[in-house]
Amino acid sequence: MLPQPLQEIQTRVRHEQDTLQWRQHYAVRAGCEATVSETVHAHGLRHCRYRGMAKTHVQHVLTAAGTNIIRLSGHFPPGTSPPRRPPSRQPIQATPSNPD
């Protein structure tokens, strides 16, 4: 059991966590934490192959790019592509007319 002042703070914070506003705010952090966790566990981001800040930075950038490519590849099954908008008409193009 916590001392009363700490118990009151804990109770208040737990009630705040039940609000929609808090959950929306926390969802941003949860997404960031998931990305960091993925790069650490799946791609070995904590272990650098190189020495020096410049080479380490390049490795981190390439690891992040690779993570994004892997994530993007999961959005569309092989052989499919994202839906495309119809091309917009240019000002020079005339609309098809009906010659009567």
Side-chain angles (χ1 to χ4, degrees), residues 36-58:
V36 170
S37 177
E38 178 184 352
T39 56
V40 167
H41 292 101
H43 308 293
L45 191 64
R46 285 201 183 129
H47 302 285
C48 189
R49 298 174 186 223
Y50 309 102
R51 290 186 182 188
M53 291 295 287
K55 291 179 183 178
T56 301
H57 176 71
V58 170

Side-chain angles (χ1 to χ4, degrees), residues 7 11 20 25 37 42-43 48 56 68 76 94 96:
Q7 183 67 42
T11 304
L20 180 62
H25 180 74
S37 177
H43 308 293
C48 189
T56 301
N68 288 337
F76 298 101

Side-chain angles (χ1 to χ4, degrees), residues 5-69:
L6 294 178
Q7 183 67 42
E8 290 171 358
I9 293 171
Q10 185 180 52
T11 304
R12 179 180 46 83
V13 169
R14 285 182 177 170
H15 285 296
E16 288 174 4
Q17 291 175 357
D18 288 335
T19 64
L20 180 62
Q21 180 184 9
W22 188 91
R23 289 181 187 195
Q24 289 173 342
H25 180 74
Y26 189 78
V28 174
R29 178 178 175 151
C32 295
E33 294 289 340
T35 301
V36 170
S37 177
E38 178 184 352
T39 56
V40 167
H41 292 101
H43 308 293
L45 191 64
R46 285 201 183 129
H47 302 285
C48 189
R49 298 174 186 223
Y50 309 102
R51 290 186 182 188
M53 291 295 287
K55 291 179 183 178
T56 301
H57 176 71
V58 170
Q59 179 183 341
H60 288 172
V61 169
L62 292 176
T63 300
T67 301
N68 288 337
I69 290 169

